[in-house]
Amino acid sequence: MSDISQAYPYEENGYTLYSCATCPYAQRALRAFCIAQVPHKVVEIDLLNKPSWYHLVNPQLKVPTLRTPSGDLLIESLVIAEYVADQFPKARLLSLDALERAQLRLFIELFSTRISSVFYRVLRAADVDDQEMEKKKLLEGVREVSRELENQWERESGKGGPFWYGDRFAYAEVATVSFAGLFRVLDHYRGFQVPDTQEYKGFNKWFGAVVNHPGFTDVKPDDAALIASYKRFLP
Amino acid sequence: MSSSSTTEYPYEEGSYTLYVTKHCPFAQRALRAFYAAKVPYKLVEIDLDNKPTWYHLVNPQLKVPALRLPSGEILIESLVISEYVADQFPEAHLLPTDALERAQLRLFVEIFSSKIVPNLYGALRAASAEEQETKKEGILAGIRDASRQLENQWKRVNNNEGLWLGDRVSLAEINTVSFVNQLAAVEIHRGLVVPQSQEYAAFNKWVEAYSARPEYTEYSLADEVIAEKLRKFLA
């Protein structure tokens, strides 16, 4: 690691990932590197107390940011994850087939708009009626995602699941599991759980496999730290 | 073309069918991608103010664009569709093959999606002069960001012809130019002026370069037409 008297700390001739363990966006980048087995240096950024030099890395002061060995800086979690997939094709993070890629991108978009975004609204909702309304929307989203997973498992690239690419924890999981991991937070603050019924079968099968896979557990933040970090979203 | 009924929808057998509204900037991404890749397709025009009863069979979200593949699958989301075209027809070179170059191109497109487009509609919708000014400044900040990225990019490719990849139209233009076209509405209704100064020079050069291209002119709309179409957003 370079001397911190330089403009900002980074790993000479290597990848440096500026990250925050509890941030679900940063976890996407971390997981991409871990699944692809690409060596990288992690520089932890305390989002509530950002280092004075961090604006040199990312003027928007967000995580994650990636510094490549050539000194280029990349932002945006999915741009970073896709860069890893493109740069390290042997890891097979992402299919090369155009239609399969498109279907996977749509799944990530569905997950993001129907689950991840709604999750924050459940936390932020001030009164119980609003919380219940957002919880209902969230369950609707989980059912939609469930159906999409089941559609995918009938395709050749899905081959019966439990992950998007069958038995491989890959790009679809890299992009989504950190948000699925937030259900732990919702359970704690809002008593929310996904039912174990038919309509949620796909999601539960997927998530059941996810929580036991090192792709998830290796990068998962500590439960207590995660729960504490979301307190600030409460009304 | 197959007949339409309550359980069917019109499409071209054995070919691509693109469901679009020609003046919709999102749909134009798909139109320009197909044009640039020189891929034949059947165009089905959707009147957004009077949607056909069958359109939910194509896209349950009732938005344009939507793409039906020869195999029968349907794709939605303008960026997913244009990227599908880039992946499916690599000989059209709509995306670079290098991982870092792809990431940098994606980040350029992201400026428009995240900074320029929301402020564009925000400026039209804003009721007070103060809010309008804030949104206009948001647009200009996004344009300055785009200008800086163009400068950095041209140093990298060592090419001075004005397009992102120098002399060739790519997703950098396909995914963005329809929204620059839309800025005419903010110019006419809200007095937005993009300066000619140094900070905007690269952006202005890029606009001049792509404006001469048929990929742009085939689908671009006159300023007055845009201003009229977007009048409905005015506060």
Side-chain angles (χ1 to χ4, degrees):
Chain A
M1 182 88 142
S2 295
D3 180 357
I4 54 170
S5 64
Q6 296 224 357
Y8 61 87
Y10 61 87
E11 183 80 343
E12 196 70 53
N13 298 318
Y15 286 99
T16 313
L17 194 51
Y18 303 87
S19 177
C20 172
T22 54
C23 171
Y25 296 94
Q27 285 170 43
R28 284 170 160 169
L30 283 165
R31 287 200 169 90
F33 274 91
C34 289
I35 298 296
Q37 298 186 309
V38 176
H40 57 285
K41 180 79 191 176
V42 179
V43 173
E44 189 79 12
I45 303 295
D46 179 351
L47 293 177
L48 299 175
N49 190 21
K50 291 165 198 169
S52 54
W53 48 258
Y54 192 56
H55 69 98
L56 297 171
V57 175
N58 184 342
Q60 293 177 46
L61 298 178
K62 294 196 224 169
V63 291
T65 307
L66 174 68
R67 186 187 184 279
T68 68
S70 50
D72 295 282
L73 292 163
L74 293 179
I75 61 171
E76 297 295 329
S77 58
L78 288 180
V79 170
I80 293 170
E82 187 137 9
Y83 165 81
V84 175
D86 285 344
Q87 184 71 0
F88 301 98
K90 290 210 181 83
R92 292 169 60 224
L93 278 181
L94 192 49
S95 161
L96 295 175
D97 177 81
L99 177 58
E100 286 175 21
R101 287 162 78 100
Q103 287 164 335
L104 193 157
R105 292 184 208 292
L106 287 175
F107 175 72
I108 292 172
E109 175 71 12
L110 181 75
F111 201 104
S112 174
T113 52
R114 295 284 198 263
I115 293 183
S116 312
S117 303
V118 185
F119 161 84
Y120 287 97
R121 297 208 299 264
V122 175
L123 269 188
R124 290 195 148 112
D127 63 71
V128 178
D129 283 341
D130 284 341
Q131 286 171 24
E132 287 310 307
M133 186 182 72
E134 298 297 350
K135 280 185 196 177
K136 267 181 84 171
K137 286 203 188 128
L138 185 52
L139 285 175
E140 240 175 74
V142 177
R143 291 197 294 274
E144 272 198 70
V145 163
S146 231
R147 282 193 293 271
E148 270 318 300
L149 284 164
E150 287 177 332
N151 288 342
Q152 167 63 7
W153 292 334
E154 291 190 8
R155 298 177 189 132
E156 204 190 316
S157 59
K159 30 183 198 286
F163 302 117
W164 184 262
Y165 285 147
D167 56 2
R168 286 195 310 118
F169 187 109
Y171 193 83
E173 285 72 34
V174 164
T176 57
V177 300
S178 52
F179 293 94
L182 296 181
F183 281 119
R184 182 72 198 84
V185 173
L186 268 192
D187 189 13
H188 179 85
Y189 287 118
R190 296 281 181 256
F192 175 89
Q193 287 188 350
V194 175
D196 199 8
T197 58
Q198 184 63 24
E199 304 171 284
Y200 304 94
K201 201 165 65 116
F203 178 85
N204 287 327
K205 171 174 165 173
W206 175 79
F207 194 50
V210 160
V211 294
N212 291 311
H213 194 284
F216 179 74
T217 56
D218 284 354
V219 176
K220 192 180 80 66
D222 165 71
D223 259 5
L226 182 66
I227 286 168
S229 75
Y230 277 88
K231 194 161 187 177
R232 62 198 169 110
F233 288 97
L234 297 174
Chain B
M1 188 102 133
S2 100
S3 62
S4 63
S5 72
T6 52
T7 54
E8 290 182 10
Y9 57 90
Y11 61 87
E12 184 80 342
E13 194 67 55
S15 173
Y16 288 99
T17 312
L18 196 49
Y19 304 85
V20 292
T21 303
K22 281 191 179 164
H23 63 81
C24 168
F26 297 92
Q28 285 177 3
R29 284 169 164 164
L31 287 165
R32 289 194 166 99
F34 271 86
Y35 186 101
K38 300 188 171 54
V39 176
Y41 64 95
K42 178 75 189 175
L43 190 148
V44 174
E45 189 126 17
I46 303 295
D47 179 352
L48 290 176
D49 295 323
N50 190 20
K51 289 166 198 170
T53 49
W54 49 258
Y55 192 57
H56 69 99
L57 297 171
V58 175
N59 185 354
Q61 293 178 40
L62 298 179
K63 294 194 226 170
V64 292
L67 173 67
R68 184 187 183 280
L69 276 56
S71 49
E73 275 103 356
I74 293 180
L75 294 178
I76 59 171
E77 297 296 328
S78 60
L79 291 176
V80 172
I81 291 171
S82 64
E83 184 124 20
Y84 166 83
V85 174
D87 284 342
Q88 184 70 4
F89 303 98
E91 63 277 13
H93 301 294
L94 298 185
L95 270 179
T97 48
D98 177 79
L100 182 60
E101 288 175 32
R102 288 160 74 101
Q104 288 159 340
L105 188 154
R106 292 184 207 293
L107 289 176
F108 176 71
V109 172
E110 178 66 17
I111 296 172
F112 293 80
S113 312
S114 63
K115 292 188 183 168
I116 295 178
V117 174
N119 284 309
L120 189 164
Y121 293 107
L124 293 173
R125 292 190 157 114
S128 72
E130 200 187 325
E131 212 197 321
Q132 289 168 22
E133 280 312 305
T134 307
K135 299 297 181 193
K136 279 158 65 181
E137 181 45 42
I139 294 171
L140 292 178
I143 290 176
R144 290 194 297 272
D145 198 349
S147 214
R148 275 191 300 271
Q149 293 210 14
L150 282 160
E151 281 171 9
N152 292 338
Q153 168 67 4
W154 290 336
K155 282 191 202 126
R156 287 189 294 256
V157 300
N158 197 25
N159 192 312
N160 227 2
E161 295 193 41
L163 300 178
W164 177 264
L165 290 183
D167 59 352
R168 213 171 63 232
V169 167
S170 65
L171 288 191
E173 285 79 28
I174 289 166
N175 285 338
T176 59
V177 299
S178 57
F179 292 98
V180 182
N181 197 191
Q182 298 264 89
L183 287 179
V186 188
E187 285 165 10
I188 290 173
H189 293 306
R190 295 284 184 249
L192 174 77
V193 175
V194 179
Q196 289 296 314
S197 54
Q198 185 56 34
E199 298 176 287
Y200 301 89
F203 175 83
N204 288 327
K205 175 171 174 168
W206 174 69
V207 172
E208 200 186 322
Y210 75 64
S211 295
R213 296 284 179 142
E215 291 90 340
Y216 178 69
T217 57
E218 185 74 15
Y219 303 104
S220 61
L221 299 169
D223 288 358
E224 302 74 38
V225 172
I226 300 246
E228 201 43 48
K229 292 259 179 244
L230 295 193
R231 185 177 284 281
K232 60 182 173 181
F233 291 105
L234 293 178

